[in-house]
């Protein structure tokens, strides 16, 4: 219950701070795993309607759909591969960051973001703090 309450508060703050900006009329959620699904489901119904897709670099997840029937209206989002994300689409990154002491962790200058996100952001022309935000 505490975790859900904390998530709801963080998401509400994110909506007020970021999703009110004109560039965020429609946006993608990077991460079709637990964190991305929780974020998308915690959005207000108005904000959920603006999510174009869950994006993932795992080809096995791409092509599927995420459905949460517990929400009213039910949330149904396509899951697309990062290569299918349209350039310039504002994106919220919801993937768990690795700790510095974990195997495969990135250097400190990458701010903990996975390399795939950094590469895709560069290709898509996303700018951290403007059209790319890390939520988790």
């Amino acid at each position: 219950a505490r975790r859900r309450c904390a998530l709801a508060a963080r998401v509400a703050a994110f909506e007020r701070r970021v999703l009110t900006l004109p560039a965020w009329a429609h946006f993608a959620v990077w991460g079709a795993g637990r964190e991305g699904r929780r974020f998308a489901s915690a959005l207000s119904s108005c904000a959920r309607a603006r999510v174009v897709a869950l994006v993932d670099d795992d080809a096995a997840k791409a092509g599927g759909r995420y459905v949460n029937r517990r929400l009213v209206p039910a949330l149904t989002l396509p899951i697309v591969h990062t290569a299918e994300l349209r350039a310039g689409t504002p994106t919220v990154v919801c993937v768990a960051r690795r700790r510095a002491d974990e195997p495969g962790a990135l250097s400190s200058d990458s701010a903990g973001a996975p390399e795939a996100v950094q590469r895709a952001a560069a290709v898509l022309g996303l700018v951290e703090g403007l059209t790319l935000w890390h939520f988790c």
Side-chain angles (χ1 to χ4, degrees):
R2 282 187 194 176
R3 204 175 266 182
R4 268 183 292 176
C5 195
L7 176 63
R10 291 179 61 226
V11 169
F14 185 83
E15 285 188 37
R16 286 190 307 274
R17 181 175 179 203
V18 178
L19 298 184
T20 55
L21 300 173
W24 289 79
H26 298 288
F27 62 97
V29 176
W30 185 302
R34 182 182 67 195
E35 301 301 325
R37 294 188 316 261
R38 283 184 179 172
F39 173 82
S41 295
L43 290 166
S44 66
S45 60
C46 181
R48 281 194 306 263
R50 296 170 26 210
V51 178
V52 295
L54 293 178
V55 181
D56 209 285
D57 58 354
D58 182 353
K61 292 180 185 176
R65 298 183 83 63
Y66 168 63
V67 180
N68 185 335
R69 289 185 178 86
R70 288 177 284 165
L71 298 171
V72 177
L75 174 62
T76 302
L77 294 171
I79 301 172
V80 300
H81 192 271
T82 54
E84 298 175 58
L85 187 59
R86 223 176 79 221
T89 301
T91 304
V92 182
V93 178
C94 295
V95 293
R97 296 181 182 200
R98 295 181 183 180
R99 293 190 329 246
D101 60 343
E102 278 186 271
L106 303 173
S107 63
S108 59
D109 64 342
S110 67
E115 289 175 345
V117 174
Q118 292 178 332
R119 282 192 306 270
V123 169
L124 295 168
L126 300 175
V127 178
E128 196 160 345
L130 293 177
T131 54
L132 180 73
W133 282 85
H134 294 269
F135 184 79
C136 298

